[in-house]
Amino acid sequence: MRELLIPAADLLLGAQCPGCGRPALTVCRTCGDAISPDPVVTWPEPCPAMLRRPERVPPVAAGANADVLRRVLVAWKEAGNTRLTSVLDHLLAAAVIEHARPGIAVALVPVPTSRRSRRERGCDLVDELARSAGRLLRQVGVDTRVVQSLAPARATADQVGLGAAERARNLHGAFRLRTDRHLADRDVVVVDDILTTGATVSEAVRALSAARRRPVGIAVVAATPRIPTNIPEHRS
Ligand SMILES: [Zn+2]
């Protein structure tokens, strides 16, 4: 019955799959397959030094911020389709699992959302995504707790349109430790939705490291593919 009812409701309400635009209440099966998690370690280039030293804090992305996944993320983040949290949480959970060690509990620390963006969106999307992913992880036996350890230390400019160096400058010292409760005896994983230059997660790692709670890794839904440049890179 549900199989018949949902397409009928879709047509009636004009709901569309955010991935392909076809009538659907949420992500259609084809697009769902296209964005199934494929977690890989994705270092931003250039990589912020804070992610390399003293210990490496590898970022794992469940997919690339392109094509279907990019359109789903835009619908979730910019168009306020919060129903998509229950699609994207699987991707975040898959990225977190890459950092999990047998028998060690995990603390997910979401990057703090600015007051401005919380006001604009009416909620803290990354926090809700982390909580939803945490529930999935507990269901599969990973002892997971979401801890809002970080808070904005000051107002920052919107990151959109800024280059890597400008983003890093804009964010340096932007986060502070709010609490380290529940972090002891857990592997700390910083979580965010999209990894671009790594400036945001790097600042989160800095604030946690300063409080001697250096994360073991970073987990994101998607990493933004870099635009190739002709500038030769010197790799160390
Ligand atoms: Zn679709």
Side-chain angles (χ1 to χ4, degrees):
M1 189 60 195
R2 192 174 171 272
E3 294 291 304
L4 293 172
L5 202 62
I6 287 180
D10 289 347
L11 293 173
L12 198 67
L13 302 170
Q16 292 178 329
C17 165
C20 63
R22 279 195 291 252
L25 273 184
T26 181
V27 176
C28 75
R29 200 170 295 172
T30 310
C31 291
D33 289 346
I35 62 169
S36 60
D38 180 20
V40 283
V41 173
T42 310
W43 293 100
E45 286 183 30
C47 182
M50 184 52 69
L51 304 186
R52 293 274 193 196
R53 290 182 295 271
E55 301 90 20
R56 286 150 72 94
V57 185
V60 172
N65 185 24
D67 309 320
V68 174
L69 185 51
R70 185 175 173 278
R71 291 193 289 274
V72 173
L73 279 161
V74 167
W76 175 72
K77 203 169 174 164
E78 310 302 335
N81 187 347
T82 51
R83 202 157 44 175
L84 297 172
T85 299
S86 61
V87 174
L88 297 172
D89 56 359
H90 287 78
L91 284 102
L92 186 62
V96 172
I97 281 196
E98 296 294 304
H99 298 298
R101 296 184 293 161
I104 311 270
V106 174
L108 302 184
V109 176
V111 297
T113 303
S114 70
R115 216 170 286 165
R116 184 185 54 230
S117 113
R118 204 175 307 180
R119 199 170 47 232
E120 279 167 9
R121 305 204 164 101
C123 63
D124 185 339
L125 280 177
V126 175
D127 182 66
E128 285 181 16
L129 181 66
R131 288 182 194 284
S132 200
R135 279 191 289 275
L136 291 173
L137 289 161
R138 286 193 295 277
Q139 281 167 18
V140 297
V142 181
D143 181 350
T144 309
R145 178 167 200 148
V146 177
V147 190
Q148 277 282 6
S149 301
L150 299 175
R154 57 173 172 78
T156 49
D158 196 333
Q159 295 280 88
V160 173
L162 299 184
E166 292 166 312
R167 282 182 181 222
R169 256 198 310 279
N170 181 36
L171 281 177
H172 186 78
F175 302 157
R176 63 177 177 82
L177 190 82
R178 200 166 62 92
T179 174
D180 65 353
R181 278 185 68 200
H182 310 299
L183 295 186
D185 307 323
R186 286 177 181 265
D187 276 350
V188 175
V189 176
V190 170
V191 295
D192 201 356
D193 51 359
I194 300 168
L195 179 86
T196 307
T197 64
T200 309
V201 291
S202 172
E203 171 57 17
V205 169
R206 186 204 59 77
L208 288 161
S209 301
R212 298 199 194 158
R213 297 286 183 237
R214 190 162 175 86
V216 298
I218 294 153
V220 296
V221 171
T224 299
R226 281 192 333 123
I227 299 155
T229 62
N230 296 322
I231 301 161
E233 284 176 41
H234 301 280
R235 289 158 200 266
S236 53

